[in-house]
Amino acid sequence: AQSVTQLDSQVPVFEEAPVELRCNYSSSVSVYLFWYVQYPNQGLQLLLKYLSGSTLVKGINGFEAEFNKSQTSFHLRKPSVHISDTAEYFCAGITGANNLFFGTGTRLTVIP
Amino acid sequence: DAGVIQSPRHEVTEMGQEVTLRCKLISGHNSLFWYRQTMMRGLELLIYFNNNVPIDDSGMPEDRFSAKMPNASFSTLKIQPSEPRDSAVYFCASSPVRASNPYFGPGTRLTVL
């Protein structure tokens, strides 16, 4: 069974509009959660991570995510997207065996 | 630091041939992960090592796949014999400690004809 679930496989959004990419995690996942971004033909790059402390985590490129324990969610948000944000975004969590387990990805397409 | 280094970046081979993918970890990192990415299956963890020791290889598809860490900074993933269904992008990643986010290499795009 997957440990993290990304609810949307594709998200189209207009430039300068806000965006939210959804991620839910299962109780089998330790409370270490991550968002990675993958630009075309490149490897994965860490956007942000939640290990402990403040539930609102700020990452690179203006992205942020909020850890919500009651809803078992870790949604990624950006108030205003740019064309350059077009990429695949992966939510991930650490399992009990210390494996980093990825969601199926959400393709964000920013429309000019 | 140059980051995680993978070679080759692209590999095209014929079915039945042996394929060896290489990975150099970031200096000081002691955990090493091999992932495979395909359109159908997304990102799959194949195997990971901690301090040169394989911890979990349950993701390795079958006996045709093998991975080694001959030293603390280098790893290989070998497929013998290769099959067309092995075509994918293979990523290597390393991390400084367990339960820490891995740093990914650029990947090797493997095409088996």
Side-chain angles (χ1 to χ4, degrees), chain A residues 1-24:
Chain A
Q2 288 192 345
S3 299
V4 292
T5 302
Q6 292 184 245
L7 301 169
D8 308 296
S9 60
Q10 296 188 57
V11 173
V13 64
F14 285 104
E15 191 175 15
E16 297 184 5
V19 70
E20 177 180 84
L21 306 183
R22 298 181 292 171
C23 173
N24 285 89

mmCIF file of all heavy atoms in Angstrom, chain A residues 1-24:
data_model
loop_
_atom_site.group_PDB
_atom_site.id
_atom_site.type_symbol
_atom_site.label_atom_id
_atom_site.label_comp_id
_atom_site.label_asym_id
_atom_site.label_seq_id
_atom_site.Cartn_x
_atom_site.Cartn_y
_atom_site.Cartn_z
ATOM 1 N N ALA A 1 0.850 -1.211 0.000
ATOM 2 C CA ALA A 1 0.000 0.000 0.000
ATOM 3 C C ALA A 1 0.875 1.247 0.000
ATOM 4 O O ALA A 1 1.935 1.267 0.625
ATOM 5 C CB ALA A 1 -0.887 0.009 1.240
ATOM 6 N N GLN A 2 0.441 2.226 -0.737
ATOM 7 C CA GLN A 2 1.230 3.446 -0.806
ATOM 8 C C GLN A 2 1.144 4.203 0.496
ATOM 9 O O GLN A 2 0.135 4.166 1.198
ATOM 10 C CB GLN A 2 0.732 4.323 -1.961
ATOM 11 C CG GLN A 2 1.095 3.774 -3.333
ATOM 12 C CD GLN A 2 0.864 4.785 -4.416
ATOM 13 O OE1 GLN A 2 0.188 5.778 -4.213
ATOM 14 N NE2 GLN A 2 1.425 4.558 -5.574
ATOM 15 N N SER A 3 2.183 4.931 0.816
ATOM 16 C CA SER A 3 2.228 5.691 2.039
ATOM 17 C C SER A 3 1.808 7.126 1.838
ATOM 18 O O SER A 3 1.406 7.767 2.791
ATOM 19 C CB SER A 3 3.639 5.633 2.630
ATOM 20 O OG SER A 3 3.984 4.304 2.937
ATOM 21 N N VAL A 4 1.964 7.625 0.643
ATOM 22 C CA VAL A 4 1.491 8.972 0.325
ATOM 23 C C VAL A 4 0.649 8.907 -0.950
ATOM 24 O O VAL A 4 0.944 8.120 -1.844
ATOM 25 C CB VAL A 4 2.644 9.980 0.153
ATOM 26 C CG1 VAL A 4 3.335 10.221 1.472
ATOM 27 C CG2 VAL A 4 3.619 9.512 -0.896
ATOM 28 N N THR A 5 -0.373 9.718 -0.999
ATOM 29 C CA THR A 5 -1.283 9.749 -2.138
ATOM 30 C C THR A 5 -1.393 11.164 -2.675
ATOM 31 O O THR A 5 -1.703 12.091 -1.920
ATOM 32 C CB THR A 5 -2.686 9.259 -1.732
ATOM 33 O OG1 THR A 5 -2.588 7.939 -1.203
ATOM 34 C CG2 THR A 5 -3.620 9.246 -2.945
ATOM 35 N N GLN A 6 -1.118 11.318 -3.947
ATOM 36 C CA GLN A 6 -1.315 12.606 -4.598
ATOM 37 C C GLN A 6 -2.623 12.521 -5.368
ATOM 38 O O GLN A 6 -2.799 11.664 -6.228
ATOM 39 C CB GLN A 6 -0.130 12.923 -5.511
ATOM 40 C CG GLN A 6 1.124 13.183 -4.705
ATOM 41 C CD GLN A 6 2.296 13.586 -5.571
ATOM 42 O OE1 GLN A 6 3.285 12.869 -5.656
ATOM 43 N NE2 GLN A 6 2.195 14.742 -6.196
ATOM 44 N N LEU A 7 -3.511 13.420 -5.052
ATOM 45 C CA LEU A 7 -4.885 13.295 -5.494
ATOM 46 C C LEU A 7 -5.098 13.737 -6.935
ATOM 47 O O LEU A 7 -6.091 13.365 -7.559
ATOM 48 C CB LEU A 7 -5.790 14.103 -4.560
ATOM 49 C CG LEU A 7 -5.698 13.639 -3.100
ATOM 50 C CD1 LEU A 7 -6.395 14.628 -2.181
ATOM 51 C CD2 LEU A 7 -6.316 12.256 -2.956
ATOM 52 N N ASP A 8 -4.199 14.532 -7.451
ATOM 53 C CA ASP A 8 -4.368 15.055 -8.808
ATOM 54 C C ASP A 8 -3.174 14.660 -9.659
ATOM 55 O O ASP A 8 -2.044 14.944 -9.294
ATOM 56 C CB ASP A 8 -4.492 16.582 -8.792
ATOM 57 C CG ASP A 8 -5.565 17.044 -7.828
ATOM 58 O OD1 ASP A 8 -6.730 16.711 -8.074
ATOM 59 O OD2 ASP A 8 -5.222 17.715 -6.843
ATOM 60 N N SER A 9 -3.418 14.036 -10.797
ATOM 61 C CA SER A 9 -2.304 13.671 -11.665
ATOM 62 C C SER A 9 -1.860 14.850 -12.522
ATOM 63 O O SER A 9 -0.682 14.940 -12.883
ATOM 64 C CB SER A 9 -2.698 12.495 -12.557
ATOM 65 O OG SER A 9 -3.804 12.839 -13.368
ATOM 66 N N GLN A 10 -2.806 15.732 -12.847
ATOM 67 C CA GLN A 10 -2.468 16.902 -13.658
ATOM 68 C C GLN A 10 -3.209 18.122 -13.115
ATOM 69 O O GLN A 10 -4.396 18.029 -12.774
ATOM 70 C CB GLN A 10 -2.867 16.682 -15.124
ATOM 71 C CG GLN A 10 -2.118 15.552 -15.799
ATOM 72 C CD GLN A 10 -2.394 15.507 -17.292
ATOM 73 O OE1 GLN A 10 -2.174 16.488 -17.991
ATOM 74 N NE2 GLN A 10 -2.877 14.389 -17.774
ATOM 75 N N VAL A 11 -2.496 19.239 -13.069
ATOM 76 C CA VAL A 11 -3.101 20.491 -12.626
ATOM 77 C C VAL A 11 -2.693 21.589 -13.597
ATOM 78 O O VAL A 11 -1.521 21.991 -13.623
ATOM 79 C CB VAL A 11 -2.664 20.861 -11.196
ATOM 80 C CG1 VAL A 11 -3.177 22.244 -10.814
ATOM 81 C CG2 VAL A 11 -3.170 19.817 -10.197
ATOM 82 N N PRO A 12 -3.623 22.053 -14.419
ATOM 83 C CA PRO A 12 -3.340 23.220 -15.261
ATOM 84 C C PRO A 12 -3.759 24.488 -14.526
ATOM 85 O O PRO A 12 -4.804 24.507 -13.869
ATOM 86 C CB PRO A 12 -4.215 22.975 -16.493
ATOM 87 C CG PRO A 12 -5.364 22.171 -15.968
ATOM 88 C CD PRO A 12 -4.892 21.434 -14.738
ATOM 89 N N VAL A 13 -2.948 25.522 -14.640
ATOM 90 C CA VAL A 13 -3.265 26.778 -13.955
ATOM 91 C C VAL A 13 -2.695 27.925 -14.762
ATOM 92 O O VAL A 13 -1.640 27.799 -15.396
ATOM 93 C CB VAL A 13 -2.701 26.752 -12.510
ATOM 94 C CG1 VAL A 13 -1.194 26.674 -12.518
ATOM 95 C CG2 VAL A 13 -3.176 27.959 -11.727
ATOM 96 N N PHE A 14 -3.386 29.053 -14.758
ATOM 97 C CA PHE A 14 -2.906 30.220 -15.496
ATOM 98 C C PHE A 14 -1.779 30.908 -14.742
ATOM 99 O O PHE A 14 -1.718 30.885 -13.503
ATOM 100 C CB PHE A 14 -4.049 31.200 -15.762
ATOM 101 C CG PHE A 14 -4.984 30.728 -16.845
ATOM 102 C CD1 PHE A 14 -6.233 30.199 -16.521
ATOM 103 C CD2 PHE A 14 -4.626 30.804 -18.186
ATOM 104 C CE1 PHE A 14 -7.094 29.756 -17.512
ATOM 105 C CE2 PHE A 14 -5.487 30.361 -19.176
ATOM 106 C CZ PHE A 14 -6.712 29.833 -18.837
ATOM 107 N N GLU A 15 -0.910 31.517 -15.505
ATOM 108 C CA GLU A 15 0.216 32.250 -14.942
ATOM 109 C C GLU A 15 -0.288 33.312 -13.965
ATOM 110 O O GLU A 15 -1.304 33.956 -14.206
ATOM 111 C CB GLU A 15 1.016 32.895 -16.063
ATOM 112 C CG GLU A 15 2.356 33.460 -15.637
ATOM 113 C CD GLU A 15 3.156 33.983 -16.823
ATOM 114 O OE1 GLU A 15 2.572 34.159 -17.917
ATOM 115 O OE2 GLU A 15 4.369 34.212 -16.662
ATOM 116 N N GLU A 16 0.407 33.452 -12.859
ATOM 117 C CA GLU A 16 0.132 34.396 -11.780
ATOM 118 C C GLU A 16 -1.066 34.001 -10.922
ATOM 119 O O GLU A 16 -1.399 34.709 -9.968
ATOM 120 C CB GLU A 16 -0.039 35.823 -12.312
ATOM 121 C CG GLU A 16 1.227 36.370 -12.981
ATOM 122 C CD GLU A 16 1.073 37.821 -13.424
ATOM 123 O OE1 GLU A 16 0.036 38.421 -13.122
ATOM 124 O OE2 GLU A 16 2.021 38.335 -14.061
ATOM 125 N N ALA A 17 -1.699 32.900 -11.204
ATOM 126 C CA ALA A 17 -2.778 32.398 -10.357
ATOM 127 C C ALA A 17 -2.195 31.571 -9.216
ATOM 128 O O ALA A 17 -1.067 31.070 -9.319
ATOM 129 C CB ALA A 17 -3.748 31.556 -11.181
ATOM 130 N N PRO A 18 -2.935 31.391 -8.130
ATOM 131 C CA PRO A 18 -2.463 30.525 -7.045
ATOM 132 C C PRO A 18 -2.672 29.060 -7.404
ATOM 133 O O PRO A 18 -3.491 28.722 -8.251
ATOM 134 C CB PRO A 18 -3.355 30.932 -5.866
ATOM 135 C CG PRO A 18 -4.621 31.389 -6.517
ATOM 136 C CD PRO A 18 -4.216 32.041 -7.816
ATOM 137 N N VAL A 19 -1.905 28.202 -6.744
ATOM 138 C CA VAL A 19 -2.038 26.769 -7.000
ATOM 139 C C VAL A 19 -1.895 25.996 -5.692
ATOM 140 O O VAL A 19 -1.188 26.431 -4.773
ATOM 141 C CB VAL A 19 -0.985 26.280 -8.023
ATOM 142 C CG1 VAL A 19 0.418 26.301 -7.432
ATOM 143 C CG2 VAL A 19 -1.322 24.876 -8.516
ATOM 144 N N GLU A 20 -2.600 24.879 -5.622
ATOM 145 C CA GLU A 20 -2.451 23.948 -4.505
ATOM 146 C C GLU A 20 -2.338 22.549 -5.080
ATOM 147 O O GLU A 20 -3.199 22.117 -5.855
ATOM 148 C CB GLU A 20 -3.640 24.032 -3.543
ATOM 149 C CG GLU A 20 -3.533 23.017 -2.395
ATOM 150 C CD GLU A 20 -4.701 23.095 -1.433
ATOM 151 O OE1 GLU A 20 -5.744 22.463 -1.731
ATOM 152 O OE2 GLU A 20 -4.570 23.769 -0.399
ATOM 153 N N LEU A 21 -1.289 21.850 -4.703
ATOM 154 C CA LEU A 21 -1.109 20.455 -5.100
ATOM 155 C C LEU A 21 -1.318 19.608 -3.848
ATOM 156 O O LEU A 21 -0.650 19.816 -2.834
ATOM 157 C CB LEU A 21 0.295 20.232 -5.681
ATOM 158 C CG LEU A 21 0.693 21.146 -6.831
ATOM 159 C CD1 LEU A 21 2.073 20.774 -7.352
ATOM 160 C CD2 LEU A 21 -0.327 21.121 -7.945
ATOM 161 N N ARG A 22 -2.217 18.645 -3.957
ATOM 162 C CA ARG A 22 -2.651 17.932 -2.764
ATOM 163 C C ARG A 22 -1.880 16.648 -2.525
ATOM 164 O O ARG A 22 -1.546 15.919 -3.477
ATOM 165 C CB ARG A 22 -4.151 17.631 -2.864
ATOM 166 C CG ARG A 22 -5.016 18.892 -2.930
ATOM 167 C CD ARG A 22 -6.470 18.537 -2.993
ATOM 168 N NE ARG A 22 -6.820 17.888 -4.252
ATOM 169 C CZ ARG A 22 -7.994 17.319 -4.478
ATOM 170 N NH1 ARG A 22 -8.917 17.284 -3.512
ATOM 171 N NH2 ARG A 22 -8.243 16.767 -5.645
ATOM 172 N N CYS A 23 -1.633 16.388 -1.250
ATOM 173 C CA CYS A 23 -0.943 15.169 -0.836
ATOM 174 C C CYS A 23 -1.517 14.724 0.509
ATOM 175 O O CYS A 23 -1.617 15.523 1.441
ATOM 176 C CB CYS A 23 0.556 15.418 -0.702
ATOM 177 S SG CYS A 23 1.482 14.030 -0.010
ATOM 178 N N ASN A 24 -1.866 13.455 0.583
ATOM 179 C CA ASN A 24 -2.290 12.876 1.852
ATOM 180 C C ASN A 24 -1.363 11.719 2.199
ATOM 181 O O ASN A 24 -0.896 11.007 1.314
ATOM 182 C CB ASN A 24 -3.739 12.381 1.763
ATOM 183 C CG ASN A 24 -4.730 13.520 1.785
ATOM 184 O OD1 ASN A 24 -5.086 14.065 0.741
ATOM 185 N ND2 ASN A 24 -5.149 13.906 2.968
#
